[in-house]
Amino acid sequence: MDDDVVGHAFSHGFHPQHVERLAAYWAEALGGPSVYSDSYGDETTVVKMHSGNGEHDEMDRRAIACFDRALADVGLADNDALRQVLHDYFAWATTKTMSRYHESADEVPNGLSIPHWSWTGSRCRTPRDLHNTGIGPNFDLAGATSY
């Protein structure tokens, strides 16, 4: 990881199947098959992994910037629509769902479903998902850089 602040999140190691699990999670969140939910856990599992670390707004902003650079590195900088949708999803997930429970992973509710994202934004399945992911009528990507 080129960014020392973002890289700190991985400094203590990570699951040996991190890439495969992340790919399955993102595929499901972006409308693909439910491989993550069927094989590894639900949204509660994922959010708990990212919770209880205190506030980390600077790391979140820098992670989003790293993600945007990675999109360019793999050739997606020329596809404005796809780049924007992926940026919006990552920024939303980083600043709304994964960083919602700063104090303790014990605060994360059980039974959360992986929220789905589409070309037009969030497609949460139930009102419970909508409530627990922090999306509402005043939803924005405050603090997230956009193209």
Side-chain angles (χ1 to χ4, degrees), residues 1 3-14 49-50 53 59:
M1 178 75 50
D3 188 293
D4 291 338
V5 173
V6 177
H8 175 73
F10 299 96
S11 65
H12 306 304
F14 48 89
M49 281 189 275
H50 294 88
N53 298 306
M59 184 175 72

Side-chain angles (χ1 to χ4, degrees), residues 70-137:
L71 292 175
D73 288 350
V74 298
L76 294 178
D78 296 334
N79 186 328
D80 290 339
L82 179 58
R83 180 189 60 204
Q84 188 65 54
V85 166
L86 293 174
H87 163 87
D88 289 350
Y89 166 72
F90 188 79
W92 168 76
T94 301
T95 62
K96 299 297 180 192
T97 64
M98 298 302 155
S99 64
R100 186 172 174 95
Y101 301 95
H102 301 292
E103 298 302 317
S104 171
D106 294 334
E107 297 173 353
V108 179
N110 290 322
L112 297 177
S113 299
I114 294 176
H116 289 187
W117 197 263
S118 74
W119 288 102
T120 58
S122 174
R123 295 184 309 153
C124 290
R125 296 179 214 167
T126 68
R128 175 180 161 82
D129 293 335
L130 185 65
H131 171 75
N132 288 319
T133 57
I135 305 169

